[in-house]
Amino acid sequence: MTDKLPTLAIAPIDDADVADVVALWQACGLTRPWNDPAADIALARKESNATVLIGRDEDAIAATVLVGHDGHRGWVYYLAVDPVRRHRGYGRVMMAAAEEWLRRRGIEKLQLLVRADNSQVRGFYQALGYSEPERVIFAKWLDGRAPTP
């Protein structure tokens, strides 16, 4: 693969895109029963510190990424590439767009979470220069429900 990234038309999500984006996330296996993807999209669109970016290949949604920040660190969620459009560099394009979105807001560090058993995705991020710092993650549901994997 060359260093030149393929071209996608990248723009923030529109209301008309929500159902198609949720369907893409489901097709990519990114959704979990305890996270409502439509609610995640609505929350990202509610404030100026997050967005969902859509990458279009002609008129089709080819890829997405939810990017946001807490004022100190940037975070990426729901990086998805349409399964029939994989291995074209679209994941790299969307990560570059997320990084640029954060840079424009003065955020200098990007973090993301990957499930430990997802070796293919871990390799993808390592190839983009991401490292795996030693950290322990603690989590708690604030509504009192039991921990989730």
Side-chain angles (χ1 to χ4, degrees):
M1 180 178 284
T2 66
D3 289 313
K4 185 175 186 306
L5 295 176
T7 302
L8 286 176
I10 299 174
I13 191 171
D14 286 324
D15 291 342
D17 297 322
V18 173
D20 291 336
V21 168
V22 169
L24 174 62
W25 292 355
Q26 290 169 337
C28 292
L30 298 179
T31 59
R32 297 293 183 264
W34 54 85
N35 288 18
D36 175 356
D40 289 345
I41 292 169
L43 184 60
R45 297 176 74 197
K46 184 177 178 181
E47 303 291 339
S48 63
N49 68 328
T51 192
V52 178
L53 298 175
I54 305 275
R56 294 186 191 276
D57 179 7
E58 298 186 12
D59 288 335
I61 295 176
T64 67
V65 65
L66 190 158
V67 59
H69 67 86
D70 59 17
H72 185 64
R73 292 178 184 91
W75 290 90
V76 162
Y77 305 90
Y78 293 110
L79 175 66
V81 176
D82 181 349
V84 301
R85 291 178 168 83
R86 288 192 177 151
H87 307 291
R88 298 182 188 179
Y90 293 163
R92 290 177 29 192
V93 170
M94 296 308 294
M95 284 303 296
E99 291 172 5
E100 182 56 29
W101 188 92
L102 291 165
R103 274 189 208 95
R104 286 194 312 264
R105 286 154 181 82
I107 304 299
E108 297 178 352
K109 184 176 186 182
L110 189 157
Q111 297 185 157
L112 50 93
L113 302 173
V114 175
R115 296 184 193 289
D117 63 350
N118 197 339
S119 60
Q120 183 178 2
V121 170
R122 289 171 73 171
F124 168 77
Y125 288 116
Q126 289 167 343
L128 293 180
Y130 287 83
S131 63
E132 294 184 48
E134 291 288 328
R135 300 289 185 267
V136 175
I137 298 172
F138 287 89
K140 176 182 178 181
W141 286 102
L142 299 179
D143 63 5
R145 70 180 107 166
T148 52

